[in-house]
Amino acid sequence: MLNNLESSYDCSQASEDLHSLRLELESLISGSSERSPEEQEKINRIENQIRFIANKCGIEPHPS
């Protein structure tokens, strides 16, 4: 997960960042069907980061 995304995010890293975030998200989602509130919060943050990068950089997000 990226620590801080801001409006000054550099889109030249978007492809690599999105790939990493999607792998991390997939790992968390496939891990277990019962999630702690902390795990669900992390999933939500990663999904938000993916949407932020996709919107900022004009990339079509993959469906979850």
Side-chain angles (χ1 to χ4, degrees):
M1 177 173 13
L2 301 172
N3 288 327
N4 61 341
L5 289 175
E6 301 173 356
S7 60
S8 62
Y9 176 78
D10 180 5
C11 288
S12 69
Q13 297 296 315
S15 179
E16 185 176 314
D17 288 343
L18 285 173
H19 179 72
S20 296
L21 287 168
R22 287 181 181 125
L23 288 176
E24 187 174 357
L25 180 62
E26 186 177 316
S27 172
L28 286 169
I29 289 174
S30 67
S32 118
S33 59
E34 287 193 35
R35 296 183 188 100
S36 70
E38 293 82 15
E39 289 171 320
Q40 187 59 51
E41 183 177 333
K42 189 170 184 178
I43 288 170
N44 293 343
R45 287 193 65 195
I46 293 171
E47 289 174 335
N48 287 338
Q49 289 178 330
I50 290 170
R51 282 191 292 274
F52 172 86
I53 292 171
N55 287 334
K56 167 90 173 138
C57 302
I59 300 170
E60 191 67 33
H62 290 214
S64 302

